[in-house]
Amino acid sequence: MVKYIFVTGGVLSSLGKGVVVGSIGLLLERSGFNTDTVKIDPYLNVDAGTMNPYMHGEVFVTEDGGETDLDLGHYERFLGKYMSKLNNITAGQIYLSVLEKERRGDYLGQCVQVVPHVTNEIKERIRHVAKARGADVLIVEIGGTVGDIEGLPFLEAIRQMKLEEGPSNTIFIHVALAPIITTGELKTKPVQHSVQELRRIGIQPDIIIVRSGRALNDDERAKIALYGNVPPKAVFSDPDTDSIYEVPLILYKEGLLSYIQELLGLPRREPELSDWVDFVEKTKKYRRKVNIAMVGKYTKVRDSYISIVEALRHAAAHLGIGLNLEWIESTDIENGVYDLSRAGELEGAIILPGFGRRGTLGKIEFIKRFRESGKPILGICFGMQLMVVEVARNLLGLKDANSTELDPNTPHPVVDMIPWQKNIEKIGGTMRLGARRINLVRDSIIWGLYRASPIYERFRHRYTLNLKYVDQLEKAGLRITGWSDEGFAEVVELNNHSFFLGVQFHPEFKSRPLNPSPVYKGFLQAVLEAARSD
Ligand code: GLN
């Protein structure tokens, strides 16, 4: 019998519900229950791939090529296991499937309705994930906030699931915000109201987790318990922390794990957390901070690059250093708002992934600066492609060299669309997606980082280094040091430079707190070495 934990959110979005889900997942997984996590997104997009990172933050890519909600990244980092595209259910997928069934005649004679057809489809999918993934416990996070119109069918579906699966196999956890207002008071009313909203739909939470700027006191806890219709021991406090990786430890200390085990009738087991505790300690103790430039186009919304930031955090903790990330909007380099002479204080730079022309000139200028100064620079995906363009322009003298994504008529298309991509008409879900095998060339920077070959990393792109230019680029000092089985150039690095490395893949997606990505760790190590020899 699978146990289900449904997690809803109240008061506002971006509360850190994904971190709570990841934390509960870690505690259960570490106490020996095969745990899996699902994110439900009530929007009508079929997947997150067609959304702008400004709207919805990073698109997380799974091993099997799903373009998913960034919460799946939290799940992977906390649970330490791969999610699949199945683990992200959207309203778009649900409606698409219901409408296809309707056209096929599966519901012939019936009036197709939200209840029961859409709700049945939702329940079926949730149960299918539990089965396909072999979960003992499935944690299902309902995205958005209780009270949103588009969330209603999902809440109705999970309400029905409690009846069908039985109360000891299903619990509801509500995560809501208690804001601290300008007088310094912590207000519980928004939490009370969001629980009321939930109860109006027929869902009584079993557990309430309160996000707030500080821990709850006994009075506040009692008040939320009274109005939320739960015993005080069912109210847990999730205060702000310096590191999200502390959240599972805080919730564990409050007794959340044993309470969940009690409610679900699971055997009482303690989790093994010592390595996790060590890691959290490391995030707090560091010798010094390094200044890293983060050059991109969506730098105003930090969630746009969340896996990269987390990958840097994992690597920094292992190296005993702290991070000072300087976010540079690449259009600001072009229009002079960011003065490039300030780059002298930066010790390393990451050229972030992206799409489209806006801001690329600024990135190319920045790459040139770092190439000339000899300081470590790492290009991810689009960042790698622009490194190739920069080298072609400034070392090969091909002045108008470009990627055809940015200039379809360039005389020197050093980066061009992947041939099989050229016949694709539909945009959704059609990039080169998911993990691929990459063979590394020995005696290279990248080989030194992984110390193994082949490696498997995840991709999300349509363009690639144009093989016609490989010879010329290599003569200019740019080595290709990683090749996929399909024959694409996946890693570039520059001779006679401390660390000028571009990777077509996204190593950040596989970085874990206890097992940082070799690329990000190697980059920070290079930053430390370059500073030492300065
Ligand atoms: N726009 C580039 C491409 O499609 C890079 C994509 C990315 O950075 N994820 O190839």
Side-chain angles (χ1 to χ4, degrees), residues 265-298:
L266 290 168
R268 289 292 184 90
R269 288 194 210 137
E270 289 300 316
E272 169 47 48
L273 291 171
S274 54
D275 51 356
W276 197 271
V277 172
D278 284 350
F279 169 75
V280 171
E281 283 306 307
K282 280 193 208 151
T283 63
K284 294 180 181 166
K285 276 187 287 194
Y286 47 81
R287 284 173 278 141
R288 74 166 184 101
K289 285 192 172 183
V290 292
N291 295 327
I292 305 296
M294 303 287 277
V295 188
K297 189 162 72 164
Y298 316 105

Side-chain angles (χ1 to χ4, degrees), residues 71-72 124 152 171 186 192 199 219 288 373 395 463:
D71 278 324
L72 269 79
E124 232 170 77
L152 280 173
I171 57 172
L186 183 146
Q192 297 171 32
R199 289 167 64 197
D219 289 347
R288 74 166 184 101
S373 72
L395 288 182
Y463 292 83

Side-chain angles (χ1 to χ4, degrees), residues 126-343:
I126 293 173
R127 291 187 174 115
H128 174 66
V129 187
K131 197 162 163 226
R133 308 264 305 170
D136 301 328
V137 184
L138 189 73
I139 312 176
V140 182
E141 172 183 357
I142 317 287
T145 308
V146 169
D148 295 346
I149 290 175
E150 59 267 42
L152 280 173
F154 293 98
L155 296 176
E156 170 60 19
I158 63 172
R159 183 192 69 75
Q160 295 174 15
M161 273 189 81
K162 181 144 191 158
L163 278 179
E164 291 165 7
E165 302 289 328
S168 63
N169 295 321
T170 321
I171 57 172
F172 294 123
I173 298 183
H174 189 58
V175 184
L177 174 79
I180 294 174
I181 57 171
T182 41
T183 58
E185 268 173 289
L186 183 146
K187 292 298 201 183
T188 63
K189 186 82 83 190
V191 180
Q192 297 171 32
H193 279 196
S194 76
V195 174
Q196 269 168 30
E197 189 65 34
L198 205 51
R199 289 167 64 197
R200 219 191 309 278
I201 312 164
I203 294 176
Q204 165 64 53
D206 301 290
I207 289 173
I208 301 173
I209 297 181
V210 184
R211 284 280 299 114
S212 52
R214 61 162 171 79
L216 294 176
N217 63 33
D218 289 346
D219 289 347
E220 289 154 354
R221 197 181 294 264
K223 206 164 169 185
I224 290 168
L226 177 66
Y227 286 94
N229 194 32
V230 294
K233 68 171 182 180
V235 178
F236 294 85
S237 177
D238 176 12
D240 290 349
T241 50
D242 291 335
S243 162
I244 54 170
Y245 301 108
E246 231 176 309
V247 174
L249 305 179
I250 293 173
L251 294 175
Y252 173 66
K253 268 193 211 122
E254 281 191 75
L256 179 64
L257 178 66
S258 60
Y259 194 56
I260 288 175
Q261 290 176 349
E262 181 187 324
L263 292 180
L264 286 175
L266 290 168
R268 289 292 184 90
R269 288 194 210 137
E270 289 300 316
E272 169 47 48
L273 291 171
S274 54
D275 51 356
W276 197 271
V277 172
D278 284 350
F279 169 75
V280 171
E281 283 306 307
K282 280 193 208 151
T283 63
K284 294 180 181 166
K285 276 187 287 194
Y286 47 81
R287 284 173 278 141
R288 74 166 184 101
K289 285 192 172 183
V290 292
N291 295 327
I292 305 296
M294 303 287 277
V295 188
K297 189 162 72 164
Y298 316 105
T299 57
K300 305 269 183 311
V301 185
R302 295 297 144 79
D303 275 359
S304 310
Y305 306 109
I306 186 165
S307 290
I308 295 182
V309 175
E310 294 307 325
L312 284 168
R313 287 190 178 139
H314 305 157
H318 283 262
L319 294 171
I321 54 174
L323 293 168
N324 196 6
L325 301 183
E326 175 145 346
W327 294 89
I328 302 171
E329 188 71 19
S330 51
T331 46
D332 286 349
I333 303 172
E334 292 166 14
N335 59 29
V337 173
Y338 180 84
D339 179 2
L340 262 186
S341 64
R342 279 165 57 195

Side-chain angles (χ1 to χ4, degrees), residues 353-356 380-383 385 405 431 460-464 504 506:
F355 294 84
I380 306 292
C381 199
F382 197 42
Q385 296 171 1
E405 177 180 3
M431 280 189 247
R460 178 174 187 251
H461 67 131
R462 285 187 212 282
Y463 292 83
T464 181
Q504 184 61 75
H506 292 265

